[in-house]
Amino acid sequence: LDYYREHGISPVAQDIGDLQRHFERRSSLYHSLGIVPSFLRGKAVIEFGPGSGFNSIYTASLQPSRYVLVDGNPTGAEQTAKRLHEYGANPKSFEVVHSLIEEYDSSERFDLSICEGTIPFQLDPDGFARKVGSFCKPGGVVVITTASSASVMGETTRRLIANRLMRGCDTIEDKLSRLRPVFAPHLATIKNMSRPVDDWILDNLIHPWIGKTFGIDAAINSLSDTFDIYGASPDFIQDWRWYKDIWGPTKDVNGRAIRSYLSNMANFLDYRVELPPHSAEVGSAIAILCDKIYSLMLADGAGDNNALAEAGDLTRELARMVQRISPVTAESLHQAAEYARDPNTGSDGPSSFTSFFGRGSQYLSFIMRQT
Ligand SMILES: C[S@@+](CC[C@H](N)C(=O)[O-])C[C@H]1O[C@@H](n2cnc3c(N)ncnc32)[C@H](O)[C@@H]1O
């Protein structure tokens, strides 16, 4: 947030030139999360961190009777209010509040509390998730996003490269000019990307990440005292039990979802593949290694001269760990380690690393227990 405010930016734009397509995407997301369109009509919704309101116009189109939007970036709050007016939201139904989420307080409770793209990389993501959950009515729904060090390994490896490429650049514009030609071709490999390249670079490579990743297991654990997981995008949760067996102390939907998550870690690491589940133990081992590489990337950004070499060694170790499960991921990780060591090696044409991205952010919905 300090980064956005310091530069007077809200780099969260989306291409919504084709509004129908944008709304269909949002509708598909809500479908996966179990939010049927009629759920919001006449209901109360609160959204934390709406950015510039690109996604909020879809939520407003589902006609909640009350829609509160809280953002700490004055540029974003202003653009959100403007966009909601522009796209025909009923001015009496919505209220944009310029406030830090940590400082926001209200006795009002909502049928839906949503916080998208904001909790991961905060200093205290657990506390943040609980704060978002605290505004939900019993029986209502909370939607939050997660991003683990495995799912952002594509960004982590590119940040190690970007740290070297940005040397000697003072301004954001200089950094953008240096990074754009290198990474625009990587983003061009992603079908259906709706974010402008410069916004992605500002947010993922130049933005001085200091906070913590927030994986699906951490998110579920942070809310499990009062919430049960409901839906997810991508939809990774499998539960083959007969519904009549799901009650009382054995209900454990949250524990089951965490096991589904761990057994799919390789799928979160590389969005290009769709692999059968592996063991939860392998998933945990991948996650631990990715956490270490993520920490080394932060240390490298903070000027630790030894971090890059160690990050390279662990990236190669990760490649060996996933070699049998996903050979293309292993190949990309080897190339990433080489490229980070010497950024000049990666500029000669397409490589498997060019299209290597994880399943960055995931969405989870939860129902607040009624007792
Ligand atoms: C990455 S953007 C996500 C925007 C939008 N929800 C989306 O998914 O496209 C994060 C938003 O959260 C806001 N934000 C981040 N930390 C905040 C905080 N502590 N208090 C209030 N707003 C915050 C930022 O200003 C920004 O608008």
Side-chain angles (χ1 to χ4, degrees):
L1 184 60
D2 291 337
Y3 167 73
Y4 292 170
R5 288 202 287 210
E6 185 188 332
H7 298 286
I9 54 172
S10 181
V12 294
Q14 297 202 41
D15 178 2
I16 58 167
D18 184 341
L19 194 63
Q20 189 184 341
R21 186 198 279 209
H22 178 55
F23 275 23
E24 278 180 29
R25 289 170 169 155
R26 299 303 298 174
S27 154
S28 299
L29 171 65
Y30 278 16
H31 185 140
S32 298
L33 297 172
I35 303 171
V36 297
S38 66
F39 171 61
L40 293 192
R41 200 169 307 135
K43 296 284 173 49
V45 177
I46 187 162
E47 177 167 4
F48 294 98
S52 298
F54 287 91
N55 298 329
S56 315
I57 55 174
Y58 173 72
T59 308
S61 78
L62 299 177
Q63 301 177 352
S65 54
R66 173 129 174 88
Y67 189 10
V68 178
L69 304 102
V70 182
D71 203 294
N73 181 5
T75 312
E78 207 178 289
Q79 290 175 355
T80 295
K82 211 168 136 217
R83 190 156 280 111
L84 284 169
H85 278 292
E86 198 182 321
Y87 283 85
N90 174 0
K92 287 197 192 123
S93 70
F94 71 86
E95 180 188 355
V96 179
V97 182
H98 173 219
S99 162
L100 280 177
I101 297 168
E102 299 88 317
E103 290 174 2
Y104 181 76
D105 199 13
S106 164
S107 57
E108 206 177 344
R109 294 294 175 265
F110 297 82
D111 300 288
L112 174 67
S113 176
I114 177 164
C115 184
E116 180 174 356
T118 302
I119 301 181
F121 312 114
Q122 295 285 348
L123 294 175
D124 175 20
D126 291 310
F128 231 85
R130 281 194 289 272
K131 175 99 193 194
V132 171
S134 70
F135 294 95
C136 186
K137 287 181 188 167
V141 172
V142 163
V143 170
I144 57 175
T145 54
T146 55
S148 69
S149 52
S151 73
V152 299
M153 188 49 63
E155 285 78 357
T156 302
T157 45
R158 285 179 181 81
R159 284 178 74 91
L160 286 165
I161 296 159
N163 285 347
R164 326 242 97 57
L165 294 173
M166 287 189 291
R167 280 193 183 140
C169 299
D170 293 328
T171 65
I172 275 201
E173 287 71 28
D174 287 348
K175 292 176 182 174
L176 272 172
S177 317
R178 192 70 66 80
L179 299 182
R180 198 184 293 117
V182 177
F183 294 109
H186 295 211
L187 298 173
T189 65
I190 305 177
K191 214 171 85 199
N192 292 325
M193 166 111 177
S194 64
R195 276 188 93 179
V197 168
D198 281 5
D199 279 13
W200 187 91
I201 293 175
L202 280 168
D203 225 13
N204 290 285
L205 301 182
I206 301 179
H207 190 164
W209 287 359
I210 47 171
K212 295 183 187 145
T213 53
F214 188 53
I216 286 172
D217 46 353
I220 295 174
N221 286 330
S222 73
L223 292 178
S224 63
D225 282 352
T226 35
F227 288 88
D228 286 322
I229 191 140
Y230 177 37
S233 176
D235 190 0
F236 64 94
I237 304 169
Q238 274 214 335
D239 190 345
W240 282 100
R241 289 176 300 171
W242 190 27
Y243 72 92
K244 291 187 183 181
D245 294 335
I246 305 177
W247 63 280
T250 57
K251 191 173 169 193
D252 194 31
V253 284
N254 290 336
R256 292 238 163 194
I258 288 178
R259 281 192 293 284
S260 287
Y261 166 62
L262 293 175
S263 312
N264 280 288
M265 197 61 72
N267 280 315
F268 287 103
L269 182 62
D270 191 336
Y271 94 106
R272 298 169 299 185
V273 295
E274 212 175 307
L275 305 160
H278 44 68
S279 73
E281 290 67 31
V282 166
S284 294
I286 294 174
I288 289 169
L289 211 39
C290 291
D291 282 346
K292 287 185 186 160
I293 299 167
Y294 181 83
S295 299
L296 287 163
M297 175 276 290
L298 293 186
D300 181 60
D304 177 341
N305 290 332
N306 299 319
L308 177 69
E310 206 182 327
D313 288 345
L314 293 185
T315 304
R316 280 182 276 270
E317 189 179 330
L318 179 62
R320 288 191 290 275
M321 191 180 280
V322 299
Q323 177 67 49
R324 283 233 310 269
I325 304 172
S326 180
V328 65
T329 312
E331 184 190 17
S332 301
L333 288 167
H334 278 300
Q335 288 172 358
E338 197 49 33
Y339 195 174
R341 198 180 55 76
D342 177 4
N344 296 322
T345 58
S347 48
D348 2 303
S351 67
S352 145
F353 173 59
T354 309
S355 59
F356 169 60
F357 288 95
R359 285 185 159 83
S361 290
Q362 307 84 46
Y363 290 74
L364 302 178
S365 60
F366 294 84
I367 300 176
M368 187 172 181
R369 284 185 214 115
Q370 291 187 276
T371 48

